[in-house]
Amino acid sequence: MNKVSSNAIQAQGYYSVSAHWKDLFSRPARKVPLDAGFTCPNRDGTVSSGGCSFCNANGSGTGLHRAMSLTQQWDHWRERRRTVWGEVALVGYLQAFSNTHGPASKLRAVLEELATIPDLEGLCLGTRPDCLDQEKIRLLADFPARELWLELGLQSSNPATLARVNRGHGPECFARAAEMAAGMGVKVLAHVMAGLPGETPGDWDETVRFVNALPVAGIKFHNLFVAGNTPLANDYRAGFVQPPTLEDYAAWVGRSLSALRPDMVVHRLAADPAQGELVAPAWAGDKRAVHNAIMAEIRRGGIRQGAAWSGTD
């Protein structure tokens, strides 16, 4: 654990990405959304056509790839964001769908364009662990940014849960991808989700232990919420699924932070539904209230990231 992570944990209970980036860039950093027009193997028939049961069919994308190049998108967002944020470090965020799906040549073309964009100091790229190989990871490892995060969806380490939500891969696939990427010098960021159908708090704890034991450098915590036009929404309306309460979720995150390796960068404490997609629970749409509840749990319990980490996970 470095001095920055130690100070951040003492100050707020966990090692936040804002603290990490302020140290790396010597000023605050903000993300700029970019949409490269990738699809998902769990929707285009490569793996399945139904997608994950909880996933919005729009894949969290802006859709701007239909009208703008990546460079044009960057210019579009950069000016708007800097008007609000001021002079901050800008990190590109390829969030929509699976940004390594398809041939390596497509990923290469995307990265080559991004490498020419002015003021892009970092890159976060979201994808699935079953959309990676050594050639693609080498392209990511060679990208000329101050920092690159490879965001990989895990959601749960329980194979039965992953099958239940139609994830299309198992935990062993995530482990292989994480080890391969880390072995080539790429920082891996794991996405995990609390409250998935059929899971217990023990399953959630086991997922955190699973991530702890892998060469994963960062983590995003997500609460299960029901998005419209998803299989999960149908199950919710039929009474088969009940998302966690805010109180339960805050307690789970607090417990997980305590068990988490102290060197791991926490990129997100909760999910952030897109405008108009939230069906339930209502609390998931109040970002400030969710953050406040989690911070209150941290303060109430005197929680510090890594305090309960055994060092052997």
Side-chain angles (χ1 to χ4, degrees):
M1 183 168 58
N2 60 39
K3 183 177 181 180
V4 174
S5 60
S6 177
N7 289 344
I9 291 171
Q10 289 303 313
Q12 60 187 35
Y14 65 100
Y15 184 23
S16 68
V17 69
S18 59
H20 168 72
W21 276 342
K22 191 170 184 179
D23 178 59
L24 176 67
F25 299 120
S26 299
R27 63 197 191 283
R30 296 290 188 272
K31 287 183 178 179
V32 175
L34 297 170
D35 193 332
F38 282 90
T39 59
C40 176
N42 210 21
R43 289 191 177 277
D44 69 5
T46 304
V47 173
S48 171
S49 58
C52 300
S53 66
F54 53 79
C55 186
N56 187 318
N58 294 325
S60 301
T62 63
L64 288 181
H65 68 277
R66 300 182 183 91
M68 297 181 181
S69 68
L70 289 169
T71 302
Q72 290 169 330
Q73 291 178 50
W74 179 264
D75 291 340
H76 170 82
W77 290 116
R78 176 179 57 178
E79 297 310 314
R80 286 160 175 76
R81 297 297 170 95
R82 276 194 165 162
T83 298
V84 177
W85 294 332
E87 289 300 315
V88 297
L90 297 177
V91 177
Y93 186 24
L94 289 166
Q95 179 182 18
F97 295 113
S98 303
N99 289 276
T100 58
H101 181 41
S105 58
K106 182 174 182 178
L107 176 62
R108 182 181 295 107
V110 166
L111 294 176
E112 286 176 351
E113 181 176 359
L114 291 176
T116 68
I117 289 177
D119 300 328
L120 188 151
E121 296 191 55
L123 182 65
C124 295
L125 181 147
T127 192
R128 289 166 54 94
D130 55 356
C131 294
L132 290 166
D133 55 34
Q134 288 194 345
E135 182 180 7
K136 293 174 182 176
I137 293 174
R138 176 49 58 197
L139 291 171
L140 297 172
D142 291 341
F143 185 73
R146 295 281 298 278
E147 181 170 75
L148 182 143
W149 286 94
L150 176 61
E151 302 197 18
L152 294 181
L154 169 63
Q155 317 313 344
S156 173
S157 65
N158 187 327
T161 301
L162 297 181
R164 192 177 299 119
V165 300
N166 194 41
R167 182 66 191 165
H169 65 74
E172 70 288 343
C173 179
F174 178 92
R176 285 195 301 269
E179 289 166 351
M180 181 166 54
M184 297 174 72
V186 175
K187 288 185 175 180
V188 176
L189 169 58
H191 288 230
V192 296
M193 186 175 291
L196 286 165
E199 286 223 326
T200 67
D203 290 318
W204 170 249
D205 294 342
E206 182 55 39
T207 295
V208 174
R209 284 193 290 269
F210 180 82
V211 172
N212 262 344
L214 291 170
V216 170
I219 194 166
K220 277 187 175 179
F221 295 113
H222 296 264
N223 50 292
L224 178 72
F225 67 84
V226 181
N229 300 315
T230 62
L232 188 68
N234 296 333
D235 290 342
Y236 171 74
R237 293 187 178 102
F240 299 141
V241 173
Q242 184 60 50
T245 65
L246 176 55
E247 293 74 19
D248 282 344
Y249 182 69
W252 295 348
V253 171
R255 190 169 71 246
S256 298
L257 288 173
S258 184
L260 195 68
R261 290 196 335 256
D263 63 291
M264 204 177 295
V265 182
V266 179
H267 284 242
R268 179 175 288 174
L269 293 174
D272 191 9
Q275 186 173 4
E277 77 170 340
L278 181 64
V279 173
W283 63 261
D286 190 338
K287 187 174 182 178
R288 182 180 296 275
V290 175
H291 178 80
N292 288 345
I294 294 171
M295 295 310 297
E297 179 70 20
I298 289 173
R299 290 191 296 270
R300 183 167 49 248
I303 291 168
R304 294 293 180 267
Q305 181 178 336
W309 178 54
S310 67
T312 59
D313 294 339

